[in-house]
Amino acid sequence: MTETTSTAGAPDEVVTNAYVRIVDLPGGAGKAALITLDNGRDHTRPSTFGLGGLTSFATAMDQVEAAAAAGEIVAVAVTGKPFVFAVGADLSGIPHLADMAQARQLGELGHATFRRLGELPVPSFAFVNGAAMGGGLEVALHCTYRTVSTGAGLLALPEVALGLIPGWGGAYLVPNLIGAEKAIKVIVENPLNQNRMLKPGEALSLGLADVSFEPADFLVQSLRWASSVISGATVVSRPEVDKGAAYDAALDAGRAFVDAKLHGSAPAAYRALDLIAAARTSTRDEGFAAEDTALAELVMSDEMRASGIYSFDLVQRRAKRPVGVPDKKLARPVTKVGVVGAGLMASQLALLFVQRLEVPVVLTDLDQARVDKGVDYVRGEIDKLHAKHRLNNDKANRLKALVTGSITKDAFADADVVIEAVFEDLKVKQQVFAEVEAVVSDTCVLLTNTSSLSVTAMAENLRHPERAVGFHFFNPVALMPLLEIARAEKTDDASLATAFALGKSLKKSCVLVKDAPAFVVNRLLTRFLGEVMAAYDEGTPFDVVNSALDPLGLPMQPYVLVQMVGPAVAFHTGETLHQAFPDRFGISENQRRMVEAGKTTLLTWDGSTPRIADDVLELFTVGDSPSTAEQVRQRALDAVADEARRMLDEGVVAEPQDLDLCLLLGAGWPFHLGGITPYLDRTGTSERVTGKRFLAPGVASVS
Amino acid sequence: MSPTRAVRDVVLVDAVRTPFGKAGPKGIYAETRADDLVVAVFRELLRRNPTLPAERIDEVAVAATTQIGDQGLTLGRTAGILAGFPQSVPGFSVDRMCAGALTAVTNLSSGIGVGAYDVVVAGGVEHMGRHPMGEAMDPNPRLIAEKLVDPEALFMGKTAENLHDRFPHLTKARADEYSLRSQEKTAKAYADNLIQPDLVPVATRGAVTGWGLATVDEPPRPETTLEGLESLKTPFRPHGRVTAGNAAGLNDGATGAILAAESVATELGLTAKARLVSFAFAGVAPEVMGVGPVPSTEKALAKAGLTIDDIGLFEVNEAFAVQVLAFLDHFGIADDDARVNQYGGAIAVGHPLASSGIRLMAYLARGFETRPDVRYGLTTMCIGLGMGGTVIWENPNYDGKGE
């Protein structure tokens, strides 16, 4: 240990205290020390461990160790405040950690404090009464036995999603408790699968908990169970961990999974696998020391700062409180919604509106057949939810009755909001807006789901253009959280406030964008992918070009993304951007030919390897100037850096954080890139291409 | 033609309680909700009687004197939901102050008797720390103006002093001696493990102390001495007779019981710990509420066709020692008769107002179990605003040899 200052604690740590009380175990097994973790706040501020919390726990351990040594107690138990056991290390101190030595202390102190639970002369019990994540769950793992409440939410070891590993014992304890395959599922796969959490029943069946009890009398029943374990009336038997071939097989499968997801783009998942591999034969001390090293190195990594600090904060905070939005008091209530168009997109929107708002939703379209199809789709989806028990019978009836169709727009007369999702053509949309305005009130907000046309242009012939707002969803509407809300030239504050309030009621993460072509996500993606497709057109082989971005760990390869979005849609967006910024957004003649020939399927699959479909290939001509994968990748990144800088200079969004949030939530770009600007900064791309960084040093990087 | 109605026999299947605590910020239940105490009792009742499917419970009645906050929201229904009873089980709330739980039992038993209910759950709770006596009280001015009620009637301690006035031979010394015995009998009952089996442990919250576990009654003072009792102040009257030592304290706690038609209990494989014989309530002058048990007992005995000599075990609530003595005195029973409160009483363990009636029944059931030679027992209490309530029970274990 060097003479560096002790672990820098965040100045305003909400300290989780460890209170100790001695209780008589029911059933006469003796006395137990019951430790309660409580930070003095309610469930909206779950208990975390910073320096103060670790110190308090260490003091509690001193007390219970002495009592156990003196024979005063037969057991030690740990539990939490109502609804929360403990949810991990206090990450707010991490940006203050200046060097590797300080970073090591984070792991070392946690190990030193919590390992004592497993080294007592008496058995220890964790009564997991509520949310237990990361370091919080690790506290429970150090105990000899664990009970879990059937009402506990949020059980997980999500560290890998944040660019870390379970560094307070989990990477060693979990595989030794439940084997490699289950450990990898919990520590590696779940975090990489949208940070999936465990339900109490799963924690039980995986073997992370020994028994479960209902919330109503969880603590008493847990104490009774502990008493019967101490007295021998209850014997806890756990399946032996297979450290033979099954362990290797699990590691292999784990590595394959991580490679497929990340292609080596971020270190945390790989370090976790290494630790799980080592846990097979290492001692406790060796295992904990290895975690200390891995944790320190990851904490001092840019990927971790981009993931666990920057991205995590964006999706937890900024996503819920959009920046630059008018006062929500200006928002008008939405008690009826009109939807123009009854195609798939419009129908998905109608379903979302009726589910979340539970108000009348009217669909209109060109003819009765289309209207009926749209309404039937929505009602059918409601029936499916009912069949899956996501809605009860009364609610399903209610929602189905709220969705109606009409071939005339008169039905919109009393709507508070009308959204159009018709064909992506300016004249068509202007016509729609005019027809709607003729029927609705002066303050009815007119929303457009356009992805690339100008909202200002769409509204220019309206009597009241100030109520037009861009309201751009992402596909599929039910799943993608991002909503780009565009303020047009004349949009007034009340209409904008109404749009944001509506977006919040729809449980979307809303970002304010200027009415610029393709807003944020589509503009950045099109610029990015445009370089990739240009490289193909120039003669770079398909497999080189399609895998060139793999090292970034994006959710999809570029041509797979184009296929998913739809080649016609992608091409149309490209055309719009080409018109707006011709020197930066080219047109791929190959793409044009394909779209004009009416081809909708771009790719075909040989097993899991994609290639261009033969009938499309016939339409393509390519050059003879191939690039390397490295060149393709750098070119695409340079382009996106250039575009991002221009967008910020134009005021498309207020700050780089908004660009990143859009890419995280609208394109599913990974946490370790921080959206994109942190990655561009740390690789020097920002400075080389635009002359400066996007973010100040330390915001999403170590320095 | 309607079927001939037959009155059915009612049995007490089980009775449990939380440990009782001392009211106030330092008591064990200071940070525990009253409804959570009821939930603990309900869940324990079902755990102890696993052959009773919860959906067979036809009614739940919970008593509390002050029905607001965590003692409001129609506790009998809300606590049932919180305890995990099926939604189909209905519930309601009851108030007869100190005899709340007693009244819940007699009410629901009546329903069983006429065939409206097969199985019921009755309970009582009072968290006097959160809901002191008289909270939100708003007496109608006519009560005093028209002398309908003596002003002293609203202060329980003063009614006890009034009893000493009415019966001068019931001295402070006798009251203190009685109280000492209540403490001693309680300590002995604990030592003999006669109380613990019917207590349900309760997790007690402490926001700055952490969770604790209540497993035994908090109020008992086994170290009580006669000298100590003699030196206590008399808060209700200068140079009076009633002290904190010869009265029950202010307490928190909950009780609960399962009752059933005897035939249904047999069908479901439930035990019968006591069989209902008769019950009665009666009113007395509110300012001497302590004599209430006398007329209610006379009435109950008459309805049962019994005399006081037929009663082999007594559980008399000890709101005040003098009030117990007044009851015993009327019926010619000695202060230290072994049949009376053999395991101690409220002076030692406490009296969370509405809950106590079922505690008396739990104690009587314990007595019936250990004394198969006893045929009849009696639970009785005095009640604020001048009433008494009495229930007479028969011992299902009676072996016929006690005559």
Side-chain angles (χ1 to χ4, degrees):
Chain A
M1 194 88 117
T2 68
E3 324 86 83
T4 352
T5 50
S6 59
T7 309
D12 19 72
E13 176 186 347
V14 175
V15 176
T16 294
N17 292 302
Y19 301 114
V20 180
R21 283 173 80 162
I22 307 297
V23 300
D24 287 312
L25 286 169
K31 291 190 192 292
L34 178 59
I35 302 174
T36 303
L37 303 171
D38 197 329
N39 67 359
R41 307 282 181 93
D42 68 16
H43 62 280
T44 58
R45 184 72 194 250
S47 306
T48 54
F49 290 105
L51 181 57
L54 292 171
T55 306
S56 180
F57 200 88
T59 306
M61 288 308 300
D62 291 341
Q63 190 182 339
V64 308
E65 278 167 4
E72 291 162 7
I73 53 174
V74 299
V76 174
V78 187
T79 195
K81 67 181 186 182
F83 309 113
V84 179
F85 181 78
V87 298
D90 183 348
L91 298 181
S92 65
I94 287 185
H96 304 288
L97 295 173
D99 58 31
M100 195 68 75
Q102 283 189 9
R104 278 194 77 87
Q105 287 177 30
L106 177 64
E108 285 170 352
L109 195 54
H111 280 120
T113 308
F114 296 125
R115 65 181 294 168
R116 293 161 78 178
L117 284 166
E119 293 164 0
L120 291 158
V122 297
S124 56
F125 295 82
F127 301 150
V128 182
N129 62 294
M133 295 199 290
L137 185 52
E138 284 171 295
V139 171
L141 289 166
H142 279 284
C143 292
T144 324
Y145 303 101
R146 280 154 295 282
T147 72
V148 67
S149 167
T150 58
L154 302 181
L155 302 171
L157 289 172
E159 289 89 337
V160 163
L162 303 174
L164 297 167
I165 45 98
W168 282 352
Y172 175 80
L173 293 168
V174 176
N176 279 292
L177 180 66
I178 61 178
E181 186 183 346
K182 293 175 180 167
I184 290 169
K185 179 176 162 64
V186 174
I187 293 174
V188 179
E189 289 176 24
N190 279 357
L192 292 180
N193 279 335
Q194 278 86 49
N195 208 5
R196 198 174 164 283
M197 308 253 159
L198 300 171
K199 296 201 178 56
E202 283 180 277
L204 189 63
S205 62
L206 284 168
L208 291 174
D210 298 308
V211 72
S212 66
F213 296 111
E214 292 181 332
D217 42 18
F218 172 74
L219 187 53
V220 169
Q221 293 305 95
S222 293
L223 285 164
R224 281 174 152 160
W225 182 81
S227 191
S228 73
V229 169
I230 300 281
S231 70
T234 297
V235 174
V236 177
S237 65
R238 296 174 185 153
E240 203 177 307
V241 170
D242 186 338
K243 292 202 171 175
Y247 209 98
D248 286 311
L251 285 167
D252 289 340
R255 285 215 171 85
F257 172 88
V258 174
D259 279 336
K261 279 269 177 183
L262 296 179
H263 300 284
S265 53
Y270 294 98
R271 294 302 293 266
L273 287 169
D274 292 341
L275 289 168
I276 292 171
R280 186 205 318 228
T281 51
S282 55
T283 63
R284 270 164 75 85
D285 289 340
E286 288 163 354
F288 294 164
E291 287 176 6
D292 288 337
T293 304
L295 188 66
E297 288 171 7
L298 289 170
V299 162
M300 298 308 290
S301 73
D302 287 330
E303 288 90 345
M304 186 269 154
R305 304 301 173 102
S307 296
I309 304 296
Y310 181 74
S311 299
F312 183 66
D313 185 70
L314 285 184
V315 306
Q316 292 292 107
R317 267 182 257 241
R318 200 182 187 95
K320 294 174 187 159
R321 259 169 256 141
V323 172
V325 178
D327 193 334
K328 61 181 182 225
K329 292 197 199 71
L330 298 172
R332 293 187 280 260
V334 175
T335 62
K336 180 170 172 179
V337 176
V339 179
V340 184
L344 187 58
M345 187 48 151
S347 304
Q348 283 185 44
L349 292 177
L351 176 63
L352 180 71
F353 280 107
V354 81
Q355 250 191 296
R356 296 275 176 252
L357 305 179
E358 298 185 358
V359 299
V361 175
V362 186
L363 286 141
T364 64
D365 209 328
L366 299 172
D367 57 53
Q368 193 64 51
R370 273 181 242 243
V371 168
D372 290 344
K373 188 171 175 206
V375 172
D376 287 345
Y377 170 83
V378 180
R379 292 193 182 148
E381 291 300 301
I382 293 169
D383 281 335
K384 281 189 206 163
L385 291 168
H386 178 217
K388 283 193 260 185
H389 304 289
R390 299 253 309 271
L391 297 171
N392 68 26
N393 206 39
D394 294 343
K395 182 70 73 164
N397 285 347
R398 177 180 178 184
L399 295 183
K400 283 194 286 188
L402 285 171
V403 179
T404 54
S406 167
I407 50 172
T408 67
K409 298 187 176 63
D410 300 342
F412 293 163
D414 52 349
D416 301 298
V417 145
V418 175
I419 184 164
E420 71 77 21
V422 302
F423 186 60
E424 192 80 346
D425 174 286
L426 181 62
K427 293 238 173 335
V428 170
K429 288 192 189 282
Q430 283 174 329
Q431 169 79 2
V432 162
F433 263 13
E435 286 169 13
V436 172
E437 181 170 56
V439 170
V440 299
S441 76
D442 289 347
T443 53
C444 173
V445 178
L446 299 185
L447 302 172
T448 168
N449 186 44
T450 186
S451 56
S452 52
L453 297 173
S454 162
V455 183
T456 305
M458 269 194 275
E460 72 188 10
N461 299 324
L462 292 174
R463 276 183 298 110
H464 294 284
E466 66 276 9
R467 34 86 164 277
V469 185
F471 210 64
H472 181 228
F473 289 87
F474 288 80
N475 227 341
V477 166
L479 292 178
M480 297 307 281
L482 182 66
L483 183 50
E484 289 172 329
I485 298 186
R487 186 201 268 271
E489 201 178 285
K490 300 209 173 97
T491 305
D492 65 15
D493 280 353
S495 303
L496 194 60
T498 304
F500 271 90
L502 178 59
K504 187 167 178 180
S505 321
L506 296 172
K507 297 202 187 149
K508 296 298 181 193
S509 300
C510 306
V511 177
L512 177 63
V513 305
K514 192 167 131 178
D515 181 28
F519 310 126
V520 173
V521 175
N522 282 345
R523 179 166 166 183
L524 281 171
L525 281 182
T526 304
R527 180 82 199 267
F528 188 61
L529 298 178
E531 298 299 325
V532 173
M533 294 201 283
Y536 172 81
D537 291 348
E538 289 157 13
T540 312
F542 176 78
D543 56 296
V544 171
V545 116
N546 199 38
S547 337
L549 305 177
D550 286 357
L552 298 173
L554 297 177
M556 246 178 270
Q557 290 177 323
Y559 279 87
V560 178
L561 178 59
V562 171
Q563 175 67 72
M564 198 207 76
V565 165
V569 171
F571 182 71
H572 175 79
T573 307
E575 272 192 312
T576 310
L577 286 162
H578 172 72
Q579 268 175 14
F581 312 110
D583 30 292
R584 301 198 308 275
F585 292 82
I587 292 284
S588 164
E589 288 306 316
N590 282 335
Q591 295 296 320
R592 183 205 293 286
R593 272 193 288 275
M594 181 194 161
V595 169
E596 282 174 359
K599 302 287 182 189
T600 53
T601 307
L602 170 61
L603 297 175
T604 187
W605 296 82
D606 297 327
S608 58
T609 313
R611 57 181 176 78
I612 307 272
D614 292 331
D615 58 329
V616 173
L617 211 47
E618 282 168 11
L619 304 170
F620 281 6
T621 55
V622 296
D624 55 11
S625 313
S627 304
T628 64
E630 170 67 46
Q631 286 170 325
V632 173
R633 185 168 63 253
Q634 200 54 56
R635 170 176 170 182
L637 289 167
D638 285 2
V640 89
D642 177 62
E643 199 62 34
R645 174 50 55 198
R646 289 173 190 276
M647 287 165 72
L648 288 167
D649 291 343
E650 285 168 33
V652 175
V653 289
E655 292 179 294
Q657 282 83 344
D658 295 305
L659 296 178
D660 292 324
L661 183 60
C662 284
L663 286 171
L664 288 168
L665 295 182
W669 279 23
F671 268 24
H672 59 261
L673 296 180
I676 195 58
T677 67
Y679 181 78
L680 297 171
D681 283 348
R682 72 173 180 250
T683 50
T685 304
S686 318
E687 275 152 314
R688 183 170 44 75
V689 171
T690 76
K692 56 180 177 177
R693 295 171 64 102
F694 287 101
L695 298 168
V699 170
S701 53
V702 179
S703 57
Chain B
M1 175 105 137
S2 54
T4 319
R5 193 185 296 279
V7 174
R8 302 190 296 175
D9 270 327
V10 180
V11 292
L12 175 73
V13 168
D14 199 5
V16 299
R17 65 186 181 89
T18 66
F20 287 170
K22 294 193 222 183
K26 299 203 201 116
I28 52 177
Y29 294 131
E31 293 172 63
T32 304
R33 290 176 60 106
D35 48 10
D36 285 338
L37 295 175
V38 178
V39 170
V41 162
F42 281 4
R43 288 177 69 87
E44 192 72 352
L45 281 173
L46 287 188
R47 252 194 298 269
R48 284 159 61 116
N49 297 278
T51 63
L52 170 63
E55 42 288 3
R56 289 297 300 265
I57 301 171
D58 289 314
E59 187 75 90
V60 178
V62 174
T65 306
T66 304
Q67 293 184 6
I68 56 180
D70 58 335
Q71 290 185 183
L73 209 61
T74 315
L75 262 188
R77 174 60 170 158
T78 310
I81 293 172
L82 289 167
F85 289 1
Q87 270 187 353
S88 56
V89 175
F92 65 100
S93 292
V94 170
D95 167 35
R96 202 201 296 257
M97 292 162 289
C98 323
L102 195 86
T103 306
V105 168
T106 57
N107 240 348
L108 294 181
S109 297
S110 309
I112 294 174
V114 300
Y117 303 139
D118 284 347
V119 182
V120 299
V121 170
V125 64
E126 206 80 47
H127 194 302
M128 297 174 76
R130 293 176 170 222
H131 303 288
M133 244 187 304
E135 183 186 19
M137 192 168 71
D138 181 15
N140 191 311
R142 288 183 52 217
L143 286 171
I144 305 299
E146 293 173 32
K147 300 190 174 35
L148 297 171
V149 163
D150 188 297
E152 304 224 304
L154 299 175
F155 303 99
M156 298 301 117
K158 290 195 198 281
T159 71
E161 288 286 357
N162 290 344
L163 270 190
H164 278 290
D165 291 340
R166 177 171 290 202
F167 305 114
H169 57 287
L170 302 180
T171 59
K172 180 178 191 294
R174 284 174 74 171
D176 286 346
E177 278 160 20
Y178 180 87
S179 306
L180 176 63
R181 280 195 297 279
S182 184
Q183 295 284 0
E184 287 169 349
K185 286 189 282 185
T186 299
K188 180 157 194 307
Y190 260 106
D192 295 343
N193 201 46
L194 291 167
I195 304 214
Q196 295 88 320
D198 295 327
L199 295 181
V200 47
V202 176
T204 55
R205 182 94 207 278
V208 297
T209 51
W211 288 97
L213 187 71
T215 53
V216 295
D217 294 306
E218 188 184 13
R221 286 188 223 260
E223 70 281 7
T224 303
T225 62
L226 209 48
E227 296 74 40
L229 287 172
E230 282 162 1
S231 67
L232 291 175
K233 289 197 287 250
T234 60
F236 304 109
R237 191 190 283 183
H239 309 290
R241 279 104 356 144
V242 181
T243 70
N246 58 34
L250 301 172
N251 304 105
D252 311 326
T255 59
I258 298 174
L259 299 122
E262 188 159 21
S263 54
V264 176
T266 308
E267 171 210 328
L268 291 174
L270 302 171
T271 53
K273 293 190 169 176
R275 183 181 300 112
L276 183 78
V277 177
S278 70
F279 68 86
F281 292 90
V284 298
E287 67 271 18
V288 286
M289 67 95 198
V291 302
V294 171
S296 63
T297 299
E298 298 279 28
K299 242 168 117 173
L301 286 169
K303 284 191 192 292
L306 298 170
T307 71
I308 200 73
D309 298 324
D310 293 314
I311 307 300
L313 285 171
F314 293 82
E315 285 295 330
V316 184
N317 199 36
E318 297 170 359
F320 300 93
V322 64
Q323 147 260 312
V324 182
L325 296 177
F327 173 83
L328 297 177
D329 189 55
H330 173 88
F331 288 107
I333 299 171
D335 291 4
D336 58 356
D337 191 308
R339 298 173 291 167
V340 177
N341 292 7
Q342 60 174 322
Y343 308 127
I347 285 172
V349 297
H351 173 36
L353 298 180
S355 73
S356 286
I358 289 178
R359 182 190 65 72
L360 302 175
M361 292 169 199
Y363 277 33
L364 186 66
R366 174 74 50 212
F368 276 172
E369 187 185 26
T370 59
R371 296 286 304 279
D373 60 303
V374 168
R375 184 162 185 197
Y376 293 109
L378 180 152
T379 53
T380 186
M381 9 187 3
C382 57
I383 310 169
L385 292 179
M387 286 183 277
T390 301
V391 185
I392 297 178
W393 303 89
E394 185 179 17
N395 186 353
N397 311 307
Y398 178 57
D399 59 11
K401 297 187 184 133
E403 299 288 301

